Amino acid sequence: MAEQLNDEYVSVGSLDLIRGRRAIKVTVNNRNLAIFNCRGILYAMDQQCYHTGGPLDMGDIEEIGGRVCIRCPWHRYVVALDNGEGLFVNEGKIKSKGLKQRVHAVKVEENSIWVKLSQFPEEVPSDYYQSEKYRAIMASAGVSIQVPTLKKN
């Protein structure tokens, strides 16, 4: 069971889990998340890409137009880590596709990583891959999408 910092933040493990790594996968309240480490700054978002459910934790972290982004390994879609905005480059200019990926608050206290799930009321495309409908489709195909629980120190 996850430790509660208060009513909003949940401990997902020790900071040591992500030191020296680009990303880790965690589950908070049955929602699969990726936590990214870019130069010591942590970002959290839904683990599966809004486009076709690709594993964002396996993507490349890149700076595009001064913004820290993750590039999905499946179809190369780009998502800003700070706000979940889908981005693309057209004629040398960075363009927005709008909000595509749900992002979550993350902080570090006493060597522990704490995550607060987004309370943004509007549905965003990445929500589909967290839905019971998607889980049922995957289960009927014999595919488990649950992220393993990380061991805490």
Side-chain angles (χ1 to χ4, degrees):
M1 183 171 175
E3 290 182 56
Q4 295 273 332
L5 180 62
N6 57 40
D7 290 337
E8 300 173 339
Y9 280 87
V10 176
S11 173
V12 296
S14 167
L15 184 59
D16 295 333
L17 293 170
I18 199 165
R19 276 201 181 100
R21 298 177 70 184
R22 176 182 68 233
I24 58 173
K25 297 185 289 187
V26 299
T27 300
V28 175
N29 295 340
N30 206 33
R31 193 167 191 103
N32 296 328
L33 310 180
I35 299 178
F36 300 95
N37 179 3
C38 182
R39 296 186 294 267
I41 299 172
L42 301 184
Y43 302 88
M45 67 174 42
D46 287 351
Q47 187 262 338
Q48 291 160 287
C49 180
Y50 73 92
H51 175 233
T52 56
L56 290 179
D57 59 294
M58 297 177 74
D60 293 325
I61 296 174
E62 304 176 7
E63 272 198 36
I64 298 176
R67 299 189 58 195
V68 179
C69 300
I70 187 72
R71 185 177 295 273
C72 181
W74 283 6
H75 299 104
R76 313 296 292 155
Y77 277 52
V78 175
V79 179
L81 287 176
D82 63 343
N83 66 1
E85 182 180 15
L87 301 174
F88 68 102
V89 178
N90 184 9
E91 297 180 358
K93 295 183 181 178
I94 298 168
K95 306 281 185 169
S96 174
K97 296 179 185 179
L99 180 62
K100 298 293 184 180
Q101 196 77 21
R102 189 171 294 274
V103 297
H104 309 280
V106 61
K107 65 182 178 179
V108 176
E109 287 192 5
E110 299 179 10
N111 203 45
S112 291
I113 302 169
W114 297 85
V115 174
K116 175 184 172 186
L117 292 180
S118 168
Q119 299 302 309
F120 184 71
E122 306 290 323
E123 187 171 316
V124 297
S126 68
D127 289 340
Y128 171 72
Y129 297 99
Q130 305 295 326
S131 70
E132 290 306 316
K133 178 180 178 182
Y134 178 73
R135 293 174 199 272
I137 290 168
M138 297 307 286
S140 70
V143 177
S144 172
I145 60 167
Q146 188 64 34
V147 175
T149 304
L150 295 171
K151 292 184 179 181
K152 297 180 190 175
N153 292 340

